[in-house]
Amino acid sequence: MRKCLIFILILGLLCPASASAAERKYLALIYDGCPRELSSLLDGLEKRNARMTFFLREEDSRKAETLLNQGHELGILTDAGPKLSRREIAGELKAREQQINAQVRLLQTTAGCSDGMRQVAKALGFSFVVPAGNLRALS
């Protein structure tokens, strides 16, 4: 809850609800998973006409429709790691996209990235997004 409140405070400072088009500031917002306080976060974003990219874990897939309807972008957050075969990785990504029920082209992995995963993801049209603190994930 505290993280969500801090985030909304920062969002309010950067993107006040009353800002004119000339005063608007842009910030890339990415959230790994869905916070427990999702409704509060979505309300704050809606008041500011702001959009985010949510990287959904498997258990968060049921929230995809709500997020898409509000104009947010979705990505897949997976722990499918280097120990999986190319076939298993492809199966995982396709299954996750079906769960979300939308075409998703952003991918983030929590378990590192093998050459096989890079090749499969590229063949399926995914782009990797690497958090600034985790640049080793693609090495």
Side-chain angles (χ1 to χ4, degrees):
M1 177 72 166
R2 194 168 111 183
K3 285 182 184 178
C4 187
L5 292 175
I6 291 170
F7 174 78
I8 291 172
L9 175 64
I10 292 169
L11 182 64
L13 293 171
L14 292 173
C15 305
S18 62
S20 70
E23 297 172 324
R24 287 192 185 129
K25 296 177 183 166
Y26 295 91
L27 174 68
L29 302 172
I30 297 176
Y31 201 97
D32 293 346
C34 282
R36 286 185 214 128
E37 308 81 16
L38 182 61
S39 62
S40 298
L41 176 59
L42 292 177
D43 289 345
L45 292 169
E46 187 65 30
K47 285 178 187 174
R48 291 161 181 83
N49 196 28
R51 302 294 174 257
M52 285 183 74
T53 299
F54 288 87
F55 283 88
L56 301 179
R57 292 180 165 85
E58 188 170 1
E59 60 270 16
D60 296 325
S61 296
R62 67 188 181 283
K63 298 172 185 166
E65 185 176 353
T66 299
L67 296 169
L68 286 170
N69 288 341
Q70 293 187 9
H72 301 288
E73 185 172 23
L74 301 180
I76 292 174
L77 179 64
T78 182
D79 58 0
K83 295 179 182 175
L84 296 180
S85 71
R86 286 176 168 85
R87 179 173 283 145
E88 290 170 321
I89 293 167
E92 162 83 7
L93 295 178
K94 288 176 184 177
R96 295 292 306 285
E97 194 171 39
Q98 286 176 347
Q99 286 174 334
I100 292 172
N101 196 26
Q103 186 177 24
V104 179
R105 290 295 159 242
L106 296 173
L107 176 65
Q108 192 178 117
T109 179
T110 61
C113 183
S114 65
D115 286 338
M117 179 167 244
R118 273 192 288 277
Q119 291 167 1
V120 169
K122 184 177 178 181
L124 294 174
F126 284 90
S127 295
F128 276 99
V129 175
V130 181
N134 195 18
L135 291 176
R136 291 179 296 159
L138 291 179
S139 59

